[in-house]
Amino acid sequence: MKNIVLISLFLTFVFASPASHAFGKQLEVPILIYHSIDEFNGQGSKELYVTPKNFEKQMLYLRDHGFTLLTFDRWQDINKVNKPIFITFDDGYKNNLNAFAIFQKLKTEHFKPTGTIFVISDFIGRSNRLSKSDLKLMADSGMISIQSHTATHPDLTKIKNYEYELKGSKDKIQKITGKPVNVLAYPYGNFNDKVVAETKKYYLFGLTTTPGPFIEKGIKDELYLLPRTYIKYSSTLDDFSKIVDRE
């Protein structure tokens, strides 16, 4: 009788836990980082580029393997959809329009690609950065969420003027897109307790560059410590599949 009660309690725990699947396997949610979607032109770090051809292959992999691409306004859906994944782009480069075009090309009735671009608000409109009209166009499409990568891309652990970098960038981007800005990607992935505390004043999420998928642990400030994994120029499709398919 005692054994029956123990087994019953175990099964209740396993299947009642919102963050677990059958027999306690926790949901792992990949959050990927891209920068430039373009051919490498010899300037900057080659590994921060992914060619449009490779990016399209990666998105086709997600489509063909049943992934659901989400933006952070749908965070609450991670436990409701099949194979949730987040595609993010840092810095707001003009060549992110190539990713937008690929999303439009691959969209079907059953596959609705979406992504999040983190822009540096003071850099908007520079020759190699997205313009106000670019940002408005993508935000209005429903495919791209435009969020903040601060005003000037400082190391947030070494500054004092948090209001300008965090609130200033949020306000400027919201004015351009007409959409909520509730997500911050920390420049260089750098953060500390002070940075998290300041971020919480204006944002609902904070993104790091700590590699690995998100696994719900219930720790303090969990949504301000979200991990992300780089997809690089040298990443093969096999590398990509191992990052996103961890079952």
Side-chain angles (χ1 to χ4, degrees):
M1 183 66 182
K2 184 178 180 181
N3 288 341
I4 293 173
V5 172
L6 288 173
I7 291 170
S8 176
L9 287 171
F10 170 75
L11 292 175
T12 299
F13 172 78
V14 168
F15 291 107
S17 174
S20 62
H21 291 245
F23 301 104
K25 177 167 174 56
Q26 286 189 294
L27 178 67
E28 298 186 3
V29 183
I31 306 175
L32 308 183
I33 318 176
Y34 294 87
H35 283 78
S36 289
I37 306 301
D38 207 351
E39 302 294 335
F40 179 61
N41 60 9
Q43 296 181 340
S45 172
K46 187 175 184 178
E47 284 289 59
L48 295 182
Y49 281 74
V50 171
T51 67
K53 181 178 179 181
N54 284 343
F55 182 75
E56 183 171 344
K57 287 179 180 178
Q58 292 161 7
M59 296 306 103
L60 280 169
Y61 181 93
L62 298 180
R63 186 186 76 180
D64 295 344
H65 289 79
F67 283 85
T68 304
L69 280 61
L70 298 175
T71 52
F72 291 88
D73 59 330
R74 292 187 61 196
W75 181 263
Q76 70 279 4
D77 292 342
I78 61 173
N79 288 300
K80 302 175 185 176
V81 301
N82 187 50
K83 301 175 79 168
I85 191 169
F86 292 79
I87 308 299
T88 72
F89 307 84
D90 280 9
D91 298 337
Y93 289 111
K94 191 82 169 179
N95 57 44
N96 288 177
L97 288 169
N98 293 328
F100 179 52
I102 290 166
F103 278 176
Q104 292 175 307
K105 176 182 176 181
L106 298 184
K107 181 180 179 181
T108 67
E109 183 180 348
H110 302 292
F111 182 69
K112 304 186 188 315
T114 58
T116 303
I117 296 179
F118 292 97
V119 298
I120 304 163
S121 61
D122 282 8
F123 293 6
I124 293 168
R126 292 186 179 184
S127 61
N128 66 336
R129 309 282 174 157
L130 295 163
S131 67
K132 291 181 180 180
S133 59
D134 294 332
L135 298 177
K136 179 66 173 166
L137 172 71
M138 290 192 286
D140 286 347
S141 75
M143 285 187 165
I144 303 292
S145 172
I146 309 299
Q147 300 293 321
S148 176
H149 201 29
T150 70
T152 67
H153 202 270
D155 181 340
L156 292 175
T157 66
K158 298 178 180 179
I159 70 164
K160 294 181 179 179
N161 190 5
Y162 289 101
E163 185 172 354
Y164 180 73
E165 291 293 343
L166 303 183
K167 184 179 185 297
S169 61
K170 174 188 176 86
D171 292 346
K172 183 174 182 178
I173 297 164
Q174 286 184 161
K175 187 174 181 180
I176 292 169
T177 65
K179 310 284 185 183
V181 173
N182 293 317
V183 194
L184 177 74
Y186 306 124
Y188 314 105
N190 291 350
F191 66 96
N192 55 23
D193 290 345
K194 173 67 173 174
V195 171
V196 170
E198 293 293 333
T199 301
K200 289 172 72 175
K201 294 179 182 178
Y202 312 108
Y203 297 90
L204 300 177
F205 303 89
L207 276 63
T208 74
T209 55
T210 305
F214 169 76
I215 302 171
E216 187 176 354
K217 298 173 183 173
I219 62 174
K220 181 185 177 184
D221 296 329
E222 189 163 48
L223 297 183
Y224 295 90
L225 307 171
L226 293 177
R228 294 191 292 168
T229 302
Y230 276 99
I231 303 299
K232 302 175 182 178
Y233 188 90
S234 61
S235 299
T236 65
L237 195 58
D238 186 53
D239 294 332
F240 182 82
S241 68
K242 288 175 181 175
I243 289 169
V244 301
D245 263 324
R246 301 171 62 91
E247 296 179 356

